[in-house]
Amino acid sequence: MRLKIKNCSLLCNQGTAPYNEDAAGITPFGVWVLDGATGLNGKNIVSDESDARWYSQWWNNFLHENIYRSDSLKEIMLDGIRSIKEEYKELVEGKDVKKLDLPSSSIAIVKFRDDMIEYFLLGDCSFFYNDGERKIIKDRSICHLDDKVYDEMIRIPNLEKLSFNEIKARVMNTIIDNRMKKNTKDGYWILDFSEEAIENSIHGYIQVEDEMKIMLASDGFTCASDRYGILKEDELIYIAEKMGIEYIFNQVREFEEDDYKAIKMPRFKVMDDSTAVYVELYNKKEK
């Protein structure tokens, strides 16, 4: 493998929820971020902590053990789906599990190959890269559905007098309607237990001529641009290179602390888990 890591950093910080449901990894063979989501019924069926944390940590461990393989990321992820589906089935045996109970996760992976990278995305995690020109790969389907909820929140009368939980309760029907669109052709594709989702992932390859800077991030990190508007999306990877991913994270937290009741910017969590990995690669060409 000719691609080598010259510099890297990883950030995975918990928000206001009791447990961090994000995960991330950096290895010589690839990098990834996961943004777990617990079922909307508020049940933890397979974990005493958080089903979403169980789910994202399962995949984090799986990728640490399998990212080295020569198979495509689609093949690796399909193997993972089949394995976790069997494990989950055993854990919930005899329990009444509905679609809204199921954990899921957004995910972005970049695998390092001989002189190229392979990428795989499901959900609303983002893939930024700079090979002389800054580019972004992201599925915005969930963002559009989320915007409907945010717009509904803004229209709630006397918003500033309500607690965060009261605001969320007022829009829960729309949140549930959106979640029921999970892994459907008219909705959005995300990592859960569906093999069909793997085939509907954003997947491809990019040649690395000399050097490339890449960044993967959860929506709790990219909200700096796509929700809060405090930084420009096409400048995030440049800022990460020059000032570090911690700078972006600090900007997000400062905004959230200033708007702790989520009045200026309605959202699902006061502070979401925030995760990003940044890697500088170079092509170690043979002489």
Side-chain angles (χ1 to χ4, degrees):
M1 185 173 65
R2 296 208 310 244
L3 291 184
K4 303 294 181 184
I5 295 175
K6 182 165 64 174
N7 185 32
C8 65
S9 55
L10 183 154
L11 178 150
C12 187
N13 281 292
Q14 184 176 335
T16 47
Y19 301 99
N20 190 344
E21 296 172 340
D22 283 8
I26 297 176
T27 80
F29 302 97
V31 298
W32 59 86
V33 297
L34 289 141
D35 180 2
T38 298
L40 289 180
N41 285 334
K43 299 177 183 177
N44 285 317
I45 299 172
V46 299
S47 168
D48 292 333
E49 299 176 341
S50 156
D51 280 9
R53 177 174 171 78
W54 170 86
Y55 189 82
S56 61
Q57 288 299 322
W58 190 99
W59 278 105
N60 191 38
N61 293 333
F62 176 83
L63 288 169
H64 272 292
E65 295 170 358
N66 290 274
I67 193 72
Y68 74 92
R69 289 164 43 183
S70 60
D71 310 87
S72 73
L73 283 174
K74 278 191 172 183
E75 292 172 313
I76 292 172
M77 293 302 291
L78 192 57
D79 285 348
I81 285 285
R82 290 166 178 164
S83 295
I84 194 171
K85 192 189 307 185
E86 285 301 311
E87 186 170 331
Y88 188 78
K89 185 178 178 181
E90 291 177 7
L91 290 171
V92 301
E93 187 175 3
K95 299 177 181 178
D96 181 24
V97 180
K98 297 179 173 59
K99 184 175 181 178
L100 285 176
D101 296 326
L102 298 176
S104 58
S105 180
S106 292
I107 187 169
I109 315 171
V110 168
K111 180 172 172 57
F112 311 146
R113 295 199 172 270
D114 186 32
D115 58 354
M116 66 177 62
I117 60 171
E118 178 186 6
Y119 60 86
F120 175 100
L121 291 90
L122 278 170
D124 59 359
C125 287
S126 303
F127 167 34
F128 303 80
Y129 69 97
N130 185 351
D131 57 359
E133 184 178 347
R134 298 196 293 265
K135 299 172 185 175
I136 305 161
I137 297 175
K138 180 175 182 175
D139 182 356
R140 301 184 189 274
S141 302
I142 297 178
C143 300
H144 297 322
L145 291 172
D146 287 346
D147 284 344
K148 294 180 180 179
V149 181
Y150 297 141
D151 290 343
E152 191 174 331
M153 285 178 169
I154 292 171
R155 293 194 297 268
I156 296 174
N158 300 315
L159 186 66
E160 67 281 356
K161 296 180 180 179
L162 300 176
S163 69
F164 180 82
N165 289 332
E166 287 172 329
I167 294 170
K168 190 172 180 180
R170 297 281 184 94
V171 298
M172 185 52 68
N173 286 339
T174 306
I175 293 174
I176 290 173
D177 286 343
N178 287 348
R179 184 65 66 88
M180 294 302 290
K181 294 181 173 69
K182 177 176 68 171
N183 288 338
T184 64
K185 292 179 181 178
D186 296 327
Y188 62 96
W189 298 99
I190 199 166
L191 185 64
D192 66 356
F193 302 99
S194 167
E195 294 185 18
E196 187 181 4
I198 304 301
E199 287 307 311
N200 286 279
S201 62
I202 296 176
H203 176 258
Y205 300 84
I206 303 171
Q207 194 79 23
V208 180
E209 296 299 334
D210 295 303
E211 294 185 348
M212 180 181 285
K213 301 171 182 68
I214 66 173
M215 182 171 72
L216 306 179
S218 69
D219 68 335
F221 184 88
T222 58
C223 60
S225 58
D226 55 32
R227 182 62 188 150
Y228 303 158
I230 51 180
L231 299 170
K232 293 182 179 179
E233 184 179 61
D234 63 355
E235 294 179 354
L236 288 184
I237 192 166
Y238 176 79
I239 295 170
E241 176 191 355
K242 299 301 181 183
M243 306 181 73
I245 53 178
E246 294 81 4
Y247 175 86
I248 299 171
F249 169 75
N250 289 336
Q251 293 291 302
V252 168
R253 286 294 186 255
E254 285 177 16
F255 180 93
E256 291 167 337
E257 288 169 0
D258 185 56
D259 182 36
Y260 198 78
K261 288 195 69 178
I263 301 301
K264 288 193 296 186
M265 191 61 65
R267 49 195 185 270
F268 300 138
K269 297 178 181 178
V270 177
M271 295 180 182
D272 198 3
D273 302 332
S274 184
T275 299
V277 295
Y278 171 81
V279 176
E280 295 178 1
L281 293 170
Y282 70 98
N283 188 342
K284 188 178 180 180
K285 297 178 180 179
E286 296 178 0
K287 297 181 180 179

